Amino acid sequence: MITSMTGFGRGEASSNGISITVELKTVNSRYLDISLRLPPIIQEKELTLKEQLQQHVERGKINVSVRVDKADTGQPDVTFNKNLVRGYKDLLNDLRDAADIKQPVILSDLMEFNDIFEAREEDEQTRSLIWTLTQEAAEKATAGLTQMRRQEGSQLEEDLLQRVDHIESMLNIIQEKTDGRSAVAKEQLLERIAELIDSDKIDDDRLEMEVAVLVDKMDITEEIVRTQSHLKFFREAVKNDNAVGRRLNFLSQEINREINTIGSKANSSEISQYVVQAKESLEQIREQVQNVE
């Protein structure tokens, strides 16, 4: 079954009052492109997390968001610099004395200095726990993402196979319409030439060769056979569990090339109608293939 490149997955893991949430969003991309938004405490693990995701996703743009919630631990994420607090207190006292102000320094005065607060540095045990929970949440998010991408892939597969069947049915009709056309065209050409040109002044072998060349240019049997072969390979690729988006894209281009040739050689308004219908289905296939991993 093919896999869609678009999807969403969310995973959570918690322990000791710490909760980690990982969200994954994927969209179409020619290559694998992973963009992460990580909290500072696990910023150094960016490469490791990317490698973990690469085991499950081969193609597409992945946006990764990791959130850390430590509210249940009862510990704030910030602390204060005691040396700075004492320094500002002494500064304010000196300023009060210089201005001959009797009012004492209070807490609200010190709160005006934002730089007394700084992020709390977690101990190694807490840092290790946060990373372990992140990996666990990422695995859950990846599982949800994979499930959604496969569900969409199933719908893509059904749609692609229906359109491939339609193209093949158009080819069958075209084949029926053109069966025996070469022989008829050859006979008509010879009759017309015989009527217009004195047969005594023409080289029969050369005439036969020229007619054969003209008739060959009208024959689309090879193009139909090659197109049917491409459709067969397309169906096989769609049923493959591996990432086949690039292969499907290539096969779509080859099918398009053959159908264009059939249209140019058909030289028939009736056949052109079926060619146009086949190209409409193919165009929809080429759009859908852009969503396949």
Tab-separated table of all heavy atoms in Angstrom, residues 118-149:
chain	number	residue	atom	x	y	z
A	118	GLU	N	16.362	34.484	36.039
A	118	GLU	CA	17.039	33.688	35.021
A	118	GLU	C	16.437	32.290	34.996
A	118	GLU	O	15.796	31.846	35.958
A	118	GLU	CB	18.542	33.619	35.296
A	118	GLU	CG	18.882	33.098	36.683
A	118	GLU	CD	20.350	33.278	37.018
A	118	GLU	OE1	20.995	34.210	36.495
A	118	GLU	OE2	20.859	32.456	37.814
A	119	ALA	N	16.627	31.614	33.850
A	119	ALA	CA	16.068	30.266	33.699
A	119	ALA	C	16.727	29.304	34.681
A	119	ALA	O	17.931	29.357	34.914
A	119	ALA	CB	16.275	29.780	32.268
A	120	ARG	N	15.900	28.438	35.222
A	120	ARG	CA	16.413	27.446	36.164
A	120	ARG	C	17.169	26.349	35.388
A	120	ARG	O	16.687	25.829	34.386
A	120	ARG	CB	15.266	26.811	36.937
A	120	ARG	CG	15.710	25.741	37.944
A	120	ARG	CD	14.491	25.067	38.562
A	120	ARG	NE	13.706	26.017	39.323
A	120	ARG	CZ	13.967	26.351	40.587
A	120	ARG	NH1	15.014	25.818	41.210
A	120	ARG	NH2	13.207	27.222	41.222
A	121	GLU	N	18.341	26.012	35.827
A	121	GLU	CA	19.104	24.935	35.222
A	121	GLU	C	18.721	23.615	35.874
A	121	GLU	O	18.810	23.470	37.090
A	121	GLU	CB	20.614	25.181	35.384
A	121	GLU	CG	21.130	26.345	34.550
A	121	GLU	CD	22.644	26.419	34.571
A	121	GLU	OE1	23.285	25.479	35.111
A	121	GLU	OE2	23.183	27.412	34.060
A	122	GLU	N	18.281	22.684	35.022
A	122	GLU	CA	17.846	21.400	35.548
A	122	GLU	C	19.046	20.505	35.850
A	122	GLU	O	20.083	20.587	35.188
A	122	GLU	CB	16.933	20.695	34.531
A	122	GLU	CG	15.703	21.498	34.142
A	122	GLU	CD	14.721	21.656	35.293
A	122	GLU	OE1	14.928	21.014	36.341
A	122	GLU	OE2	13.754	22.416	35.137
A	123	ASP	N	18.887	19.634	36.833
A	123	ASP	CA	19.954	18.687	37.140
A	123	ASP	C	19.987	17.591	36.074
A	123	ASP	O	19.060	17.442	35.273
A	123	ASP	CB	19.751	18.076	38.527
A	123	ASP	CG	18.383	17.420	38.679
A	123	ASP	OD1	18.059	16.521	37.868
A	123	ASP	OD2	17.614	17.822	39.585
A	124	GLU	N	21.040	16.817	36.052
A	124	GLU	CA	21.242	15.806	35.009
A	124	GLU	C	20.136	14.758	35.011
A	124	GLU	O	19.717	14.270	33.954
A	124	GLU	CB	22.600	15.135	35.206
A	124	GLU	CG	22.986	14.207	34.066
A	124	GLU	CD	23.049	14.936	32.728
A	124	GLU	OE1	23.433	16.121	32.701
A	124	GLU	OE2	22.677	14.318	31.708
A	125	GLN	N	19.636	14.414	36.184
A	125	GLN	CA	18.581	13.412	36.272
A	125	GLN	C	17.302	13.904	35.591
A	125	GLN	O	16.644	13.157	34.856
A	125	GLN	CB	18.298	13.076	37.739
A	125	GLN	CG	17.236	11.989	37.919
A	125	GLN	CD	17.006	11.642	39.383
A	125	GLN	OE1	17.648	12.207	40.270
A	125	GLN	NE2	16.097	10.720	39.642
A	126	THR	N	16.956	15.181	35.828
A	126	THR	CA	15.757	15.751	35.207
A	126	THR	C	15.927	15.875	33.697
A	126	THR	O	15.007	15.583	32.927
A	126	THR	CB	15.439	17.129	35.809
A	126	THR	OG1	15.262	17.000	37.221
A	126	THR	CG2	14.175	17.711	35.197
A	127	ARG	N	17.118	16.286	33.270
A	127	ARG	CA	17.390	16.413	31.839
A	127	ARG	C	17.261	15.045	31.152
A	127	ARG	O	16.689	14.929	30.060
A	127	ARG	CB	18.789	16.976	31.608
A	127	ARG	CG	18.967	18.397	32.138
A	127	ARG	CD	20.444	18.797	32.102
A	127	ARG	NE	20.888	18.922	30.727
A	127	ARG	CZ	20.809	20.044	30.017
A	127	ARG	NH1	20.273	21.140	30.566
A	127	ARG	NH2	21.256	20.098	28.787
A	128	SER	N	17.777	14.013	31.796
A	128	SER	CA	17.699	12.659	31.234
A	128	SER	C	16.255	12.189	31.154
A	128	SER	O	15.851	11.571	30.158
A	128	SER	CB	18.526	11.700	32.085
A	128	SER	OG	18.416	10.379	31.610
A	129	LEU	N	15.460	12.489	32.179
A	129	LEU	CA	14.060	12.091	32.180
A	129	LEU	C	13.289	12.787	31.065
A	129	LEU	O	12.484	12.166	30.372
A	129	LEU	CB	13.426	12.414	33.544
A	129	LEU	CG	11.913	12.159	33.672
A	129	LEU	CD1	11.605	10.678	33.412
A	129	LEU	CD2	11.407	12.604	35.032
A	130	ILE	N	13.539	14.082	30.890
A	130	ILE	CA	12.845	14.842	29.844
A	130	ILE	C	13.163	14.265	28.469
A	130	ILE	O	12.272	14.126	27.613
A	130	ILE	CB	13.223	16.335	29.918
A	130	ILE	CG1	12.584	16.965	31.164
A	130	ILE	CG2	12.784	17.084	28.654
A	130	ILE	CD1	12.982	18.399	31.405
A	131	TRP	N	14.406	13.907	28.234
A	131	TRP	CA	14.788	13.344	26.936
A	131	TRP	C	14.139	11.974	26.727
A	131	TRP	O	13.643	11.676	25.634
A	131	TRP	CB	16.296	13.255	26.824
A	131	TRP	CG	16.772	12.495	25.617
A	131	TRP	CD1	17.571	11.398	25.589
A	131	TRP	CD2	16.449	12.781	24.245
A	131	TRP	NE1	17.765	10.978	24.303
A	131	TRP	CE2	17.093	11.806	23.446
A	131	TRP	CE3	15.672	13.752	23.633
A	131	TRP	CZ2	16.990	11.786	22.068
A	131	TRP	CZ3	15.560	13.724	22.240
A	131	TRP	CH2	16.216	12.756	21.475
A	132	THR	N	14.118	11.145	27.766
A	132	THR	CA	13.484	9.830	27.653
A	132	THR	C	11.995	9.970	27.337
A	132	THR	O	11.454	9.253	26.475
A	132	THR	CB	13.659	9.035	28.965
A	132	THR	OG1	15.056	8.848	29.223
A	132	THR	CG2	12.979	7.675	28.867
A	133	LEU	N	11.337	10.893	28.007
A	133	LEU	CA	9.913	11.122	27.751
A	133	LEU	C	9.690	11.676	26.344
A	133	LEU	O	8.683	11.351	25.696
A	133	LEU	CB	9.344	12.084	28.795
A	133	LEU	CG	9.281	11.560	30.237
A	133	LEU	CD1	8.825	12.673	31.183
A	133	LEU	CD2	8.338	10.359	30.335
A	134	THR	N	10.612	12.501	25.879
A	134	THR	CA	10.500	13.050	24.520
A	134	THR	C	10.560	11.940	23.486
A	134	THR	O	9.772	11.915	22.525
A	134	THR	CB	11.621	14.060	24.253
A	134	THR	OG1	11.521	15.152	25.184
A	134	THR	CG2	11.538	14.617	22.837
A	135	GLN	N	11.483	11.010	23.662
A	135	GLN	CA	11.585	9.883	22.726
A	135	GLN	C	10.321	9.035	22.744
A	135	GLN	O	9.839	8.589	21.701
A	135	GLN	CB	12.803	9.028	23.084
A	135	GLN	CG	14.137	9.697	22.805
A	135	GLN	CD	15.311	8.823	23.200
A	135	GLN	OE1	15.495	8.507	24.380
A	135	GLN	NE2	16.094	8.402	22.225
A	136	GLU	N	9.785	8.815	23.933
A	136	GLU	CA	8.561	8.027	24.051
A	136	GLU	C	7.390	8.722	23.369
A	136	GLU	O	6.613	8.093	22.637
A	136	GLU	CB	8.250	7.786	25.531
A	136	GLU	CG	7.026	6.929	25.779
A	136	GLU	CD	6.730	6.753	27.260
A	136	GLU	OE1	7.648	6.942	28.086
A	136	GLU	OE2	5.573	6.416	27.597
A	137	ALA	N	7.254	10.021	23.612
A	137	ALA	CA	6.160	10.782	22.993
A	137	ALA	C	6.337	10.837	21.474
A	137	ALA	O	5.351	10.788	20.727
A	137	ALA	CB	6.108	12.189	23.575
A	138	ALA	N	7.586	10.943	21.014
A	138	ALA	CA	7.851	10.990	19.574
A	138	ALA	C	7.457	9.683	18.902
A	138	ALA	O	6.929	9.681	17.773
A	138	ALA	CB	9.327	11.290	19.316
A	139	GLU	N	7.700	8.552	19.568
A	139	GLU	CA	7.305	7.263	19.007
A	139	GLU	C	5.784	7.175	18.867
A	139	GLU	O	5.264	6.682	17.869
A	139	GLU	CB	7.812	6.129	19.899
A	139	GLU	CG	9.287	5.819	19.730
A	139	GLU	CD	9.620	5.280	18.356
A	139	GLU	OE1	8.757	4.600	17.757
A	139	GLU	OE2	10.730	5.549	17.858
A	140	LYS	N	5.065	7.656	19.872
A	140	LYS	CA	3.597	7.645	19.800
A	140	LYS	C	3.100	8.569	18.687
A	140	LYS	O	2.164	8.230	17.955
A	140	LYS	CB	3.009	8.072	21.145
A	140	LYS	CG	3.272	7.090	22.281
A	140	LYS	CD	2.687	7.616	23.590
A	140	LYS	CE	2.939	6.640	24.740
A	140	LYS	NZ	2.405	7.136	26.028
A	141	ALA	N	3.726	9.745	18.584
A	141	ALA	CA	3.330	10.685	17.535
A	141	ALA	C	3.599	10.097	16.159
A	141	ALA	O	2.793	10.240	15.230
A	141	ALA	CB	4.080	12.007	17.707
A	142	THR	N	4.729	9.418	16.015
A	142	THR	CA	5.088	8.805	14.738
A	142	THR	C	4.099	7.708	14.364
A	142	THR	O	3.724	7.563	13.193
A	142	THR	CB	6.512	8.224	14.800
A	142	THR	OG1	7.434	9.259	15.143
A	142	THR	CG2	6.911	7.638	13.465
A	143	ALA	N	3.680	6.921	15.366
A	143	ALA	CA	2.697	5.862	15.108
A	143	ALA	C	1.385	6.456	14.604
A	143	ALA	O	0.785	5.945	13.640
A	143	ALA	CB	2.459	5.043	16.373
A	144	GLY	N	0.938	7.545	15.235
A	144	GLY	CA	-0.289	8.202	14.789
A	144	GLY	C	-0.133	8.802	13.402
A	144	GLY	O	-1.047	8.728	12.571
A	145	LEU	N	1.035	9.391	13.147
A	145	LEU	CA	1.308	9.977	11.835
A	145	LEU	C	1.295	8.899	10.751
A	145	LEU	O	0.680	9.071	9.695
A	145	LEU	CB	2.664	10.679	11.861
A	145	LEU	CG	3.172	11.221	10.521
A	145	LEU	CD1	2.328	12.399	10.064
A	145	LEU	CD2	4.644	11.641	10.625
A	146	THR	N	1.963	7.786	11.017
A	146	THR	CA	2.031	6.697	10.042
A	146	THR	C	0.644	6.142	9.739
A	146	THR	O	0.306	5.871	8.577
A	146	THR	CB	2.934	5.567	10.572
A	146	THR	OG1	4.246	6.088	10.803
A	146	THR	CG2	3.015	4.421	9.572
A	147	GLN	N	-0.167	5.979	10.778
A	147	GLN	CA	-1.528	5.481	10.572
A	147	GLN	C	-2.335	6.411	9.678
A	147	GLN	O	-3.025	5.963	8.753
A	147	GLN	CB	-2.233	5.302	11.910
A	147	GLN	CG	-3.643	4.750	11.791
A	147	GLN	CD	-4.333	4.590	13.140
A	147	GLN	OE1	-3.792	4.972	14.170
A	147	GLN	NE2	-5.525	4.025	13.144
A	148	MET	N	-2.240	7.713	9.933
A	148	MET	CA	-2.997	8.680	9.137
A	148	MET	C	-2.494	8.722	7.697
A	148	MET	O	-3.288	8.770	6.741
A	148	MET	CB	-2.884	10.073	9.769
A	148	MET	CG	-3.686	11.135	9.052
A	148	MET	SD	-3.659	12.732	9.925
A	148	MET	CE	-4.693	13.709	8.837
A	149	ARG	N	-1.168	8.685	7.523
A	149	ARG	CA	-0.586	8.716	6.178
A	149	ARG	C	-0.980	7.464	5.385
A	149	ARG	O	-1.181	7.531	4.173
A	149	ARG	CB	0.935	8.853	6.272
A	149	ARG	CG	1.390	10.275	6.577
A	149	ARG	CD	2.787	10.312	7.171
A	149	ARG	NE	3.790	9.700	6.343
A	149	ARG	CZ	4.624	10.366	5.524
A	149	ARG	NH1	4.521	11.672	5.430
A	149	ARG	NH2	5.528	9.729	4.829
